[in-house]
Amino acid sequence: MAQRQTNFLDAGVTFGATFLADHAGQFMQDGRLALTELVANAYDAGASSVRITWPSETGEEFSIEDDGTGMTAEEFSARWRKLGYNRQIEQGKFAEFPPNRKQHKKNRVAFGQSGKGRHGAFCFADSYHIETWKDGWSLAVEVKLTNGGREPFEFSEPIKKKKPGHGTRITAVIRRNRVDAESLATAIGSKFLVDPEFSIIFNGSALALLDLDTVNS
């Protein structure tokens, strides 16, 4: 019996090795813009504060952690796996606040639109670690660029455990595109510190709007 020949259309769509860099553009090339977008994700998650640890040398780890609403495993899968994620259609144009933060204003307009900013950590490394927690459980995975093929990035086996509170933390060892701490703090602070309900702790110190070079210049 003759074997059925595989129709080349059955193979589906594949991705080139540079697809994600082309798709995300400056979010994976400009260190200031990349970290600003990661802060924007925290802002859009209704965080009241975000803590950033930024190293002085390439080869060291950076981290960004917020106290925003976090994500369930289902929400993470729906948002992080989807290319061309439209935040306004999926979540609306306003930030989503944790349930215990009712005192905050509810008309905080979200920065995110295309979903490309979540790839900002790839600006600094080919892989990063993310932990997000909500509703008593946390989810932790490593996200890694591929060399192309069936998907432009892949996920490690998720680790789930009980954890109170809510928030998200991203860490990575910086391999490229490290920018100096002063200019990075200025770029981030000048964009977000106009909202008094949102604070940024940068390398252990709270950023103040009047201390930024862009304000004093």
Side-chain angles (χ1 to χ4, degrees):
M1 179 181 295
Q3 292 184 336
R4 177 181 179 272
Q5 291 186 344
T6 301
N7 188 323
F8 78 98
L9 292 178
D10 293 339
V13 174
T14 59
F15 296 90
T18 63
F19 170 82
L20 195 62
D22 295 337
H23 170 73
Q26 291 296 310
F27 299 128
M28 286 179 57
Q29 301 168 22
D30 184 327
R32 294 176 185 83
L33 181 58
L35 199 66
T36 298
E37 286 298 314
L38 294 179
V39 175
N41 284 347
Y43 187 85
D44 293 353
S48 64
S49 67
V50 59
R51 292 181 174 272
I52 300 168
T53 299
W54 191 253
S56 58
E57 300 289 341
T58 298
E60 298 177 343
E61 186 178 80
F62 92 91
S63 67
I64 176 169
E65 180 174 342
D66 66 67
D67 63 350
T69 189
M71 290 174 280
T72 64
E74 292 76 17
E75 289 170 338
F76 176 82
S77 180
R79 297 170 189 176
W80 234 254
R81 289 181 180 276
K82 183 182 290 188
L83 294 171
Y85 180 82
N86 189 312
R87 191 199 186 281
Q88 291 198 12
I89 291 177
E90 302 283 350
Q91 296 175 256
K93 68 177 183 178
F94 296 111
E96 177 184 1
F97 287 88
N100 64 343
R101 201 157 292 149
K102 295 180 180 179
Q103 72 275 18
H104 282 228
K105 60 184 180 182
K106 293 299 184 180
N107 60 342
R108 179 190 284 185
V109 178
F111 278 90
Q113 295 184 10
S114 66
K116 295 179 182 179
R118 72 183 187 277
H119 303 305
F122 282 138
C123 179
F124 309 110
D126 287 346
S127 65
Y128 64 89
H129 183 271
I130 180 170
E131 181 185 12
T132 185
W133 56 100
K134 181 180 184 181
D135 297 341
W137 288 89
S138 77
L139 171 77
V141 298
E142 182 185 28
V143 189
K144 186 176 181 179
L145 286 174
T146 69
N147 290 320
R150 294 292 186 182
E151 50 191 16
F153 54 91
E154 60 188 9
F155 299 87
S156 67
E157 189 70 23
I159 298 175
K160 298 180 182 180
K161 62 182 181 181
K162 290 185 177 181
K163 185 171 183 175
H166 44 78
T168 298
R169 185 171 190 261
I170 292 175
T171 60
V173 174
I174 296 181
R175 302 299 184 188
R176 55 180 177 265
N177 297 326
R178 194 195 71 83
V179 296
D180 66 276
E182 183 177 352
S183 63
L184 188 59
T186 297
I188 296 169
S190 60
K191 187 167 186 176
F192 294 100
L193 291 181
V194 293
D195 186 342
E197 295 182 337
F198 186 70
S199 65
I200 300 172
I201 312 300
F202 193 92
N203 283 346
S205 299
L207 295 184
L209 188 61
L210 294 179
D211 292 338
L212 302 178
D213 291 343
T214 53
V215 175
N216 294 329
S217 60

